[in-house]
């Protein structure tokens, strides 16, 4: 997992809960990196899982809810870091339908070792989109947060229904209907 995901996560934790909580979740985790992340480094996904799980215990907020809020913050980071990529879209449905065929392909050019999910387009119309998310990391709530913010970004909104195709969340259907 790319360092930017860790650095931005810890920055948000500091903002919301304070530096003591950042120190505490790092302390409680068994981290190869010792919790020293740089935005261009690459770290084990298991480190993120440990940090999330200790934060969840500390705050009594579920990991899914933490991932959702974190993704909404991360979207702002993407807009700031990759404005040209996002500005090449004028519609949220088209943008979300292009994660697999364009957006994440560009991401791989920037970070060849990025560990990305797949988003297969099952059906698409002007106002609706059905995607199948697949990833061993089961971060579909992170995807949901990015989708919510994609609609916000285009001053739009949508109903997004999640249907788990595998119990562990490694395969999930997103049924997206623009309001
Ligand atoms: C992960 C970039 C848009 C869904 C990531 C990662 C990067 C990235 C750098 C981390 C990879 C790693 O840690 O190795 C971008 C950029 C985008 C973009 C630059 C737009 C300009 C989106 C959108 C979605 C999305 C719109 C909507 C669903 C995800 C998910 C992950 C991810 C769910 C977590 C990894 C996983 O589930 O396996 N993306 N992304 N991304 N991205 Fe994107």
């Amino acid at each position: 997992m790319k360092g930017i995901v860790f650095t931005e996560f810890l920055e948000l934790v500091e903002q919301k809960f304070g530096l003591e909580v950042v120190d505490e979740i790092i302390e409680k985790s068994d981290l190869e990196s010792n919790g020293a992340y740089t935005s261009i480094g690459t770290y084990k996904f298991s480190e993120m899982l440990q940090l999330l799980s200790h934060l969840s215990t500390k705050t009594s907020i579920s990991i899914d809810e933490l991932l959702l809020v974190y993704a909404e913050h991360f979207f702002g980071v993407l807009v700031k870091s990759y404005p040209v990529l996002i500005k090449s879209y004028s519609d949220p449905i088209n943008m979300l339908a292009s994660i697999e065929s364009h957006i994440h392909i560009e991401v791989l050019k920037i970070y060849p070792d990025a560990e990305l999910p797949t988003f297969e387009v099952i059906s698409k119309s002007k106002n609706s989109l059905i995607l199948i998310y697949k990833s061993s990391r089961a971060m579909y709530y992170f995807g949901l947060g990015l989708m919510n913010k994609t609609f916000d970004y285009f001053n739009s909104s949508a109903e997004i229904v999640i249907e788990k195709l595998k119990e562990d969340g490694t395969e999930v259907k997103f049924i997206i209907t623009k309001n």
Side-chain angles (χ1 to χ4, degrees):
M1 173 162 270
K2 293 313 299 175
I4 190 170
V5 184
F6 288 88
T7 54
E8 288 295 334
F9 174 72
L10 292 177
E11 203 160 304
L12 185 66
V13 174
E14 181 178 346
Q15 231 179 69
K16 300 254 182 203
F17 304 107
L19 199 53
E20 320 79 66
V21 175
V22 173
D23 288 342
E24 185 177 329
I25 62 174
I26 288 175
E27 200 79 351
K28 288 206 162 127
S29 304
D30 182 15
L31 307 172
E32 234 173 70
S33 68
N34 294 315
Y37 301 105
T38 67
S39 62
I40 53 160
T42 302
Y43 308 91
K44 282 194 178 151
F45 173 64
S46 61
E47 297 206 359
M48 179 53 72
L49 269 188
Q50 290 189 67
L51 294 168
L52 276 168
S53 127
H54 288 122
L55 184 64
S56 172
T57 307
K58 170 83 187 168
T59 60
S60 304
I61 301 170
S62 70
I63 289 184
D64 284 349
E65 180 65 22
L66 290 171
L67 277 174
L68 182 78
V69 172
Y70 175 43
E72 294 186 349
H73 166 81
F74 197 69
F75 188 83
V77 176
L78 294 178
V79 170
K80 252 194 245 150
S81 311
Y82 308 99
V84 178
L85 197 49
I86 291 178
K87 286 208 172 87
S88 66
Y89 293 94
S90 54
D91 169 90
I93 296 277
N94 283 338
M95 176 166 153
L96 295 177
S98 306
I99 301 169
E100 180 72 17
S101 61
H102 173 228
I103 294 177
H104 277 172
I105 290 180
E106 293 302 313
V107 172
L108 279 177
K109 291 183 191 164
I110 307 165
Y111 304 116
D113 60 350
E115 295 174 301
L116 296 165
T118 60
F119 279 99
E120 186 189 351
V121 177
I122 301 300
S123 74
K124 177 178 182 287
S125 73
K126 187 169 172 287
N127 292 314
S128 72
L129 180 66
I130 299 181
L131 295 174
I132 292 186
Y133 163 93
K134 284 187 197 165
S135 166
S136 61
R137 289 164 294 284
M139 288 176 70
Y140 56 99
Y141 264 85
F142 188 78
L144 180 62
L146 291 176
M147 289 179 191
N148 286 338
K149 283 293 172 187
T150 301
F151 281 92
D152 280 358
Y153 179 81
F154 293 101
N155 295 312
S156 177
S157 66
E159 185 196 17
I160 303 176
V161 175
I162 288 178
E163 224 175 74
K164 267 195 200 179
L165 302 179
K166 284 199 177 151
E167 198 42 53
D168 64 2
T170 55
E171 223 175 294
V172 172
K173 186 191 268 187
F174 284 93
I175 304 159
I176 305 164
T177 314
K178 195 172 162 186
N179 291 320

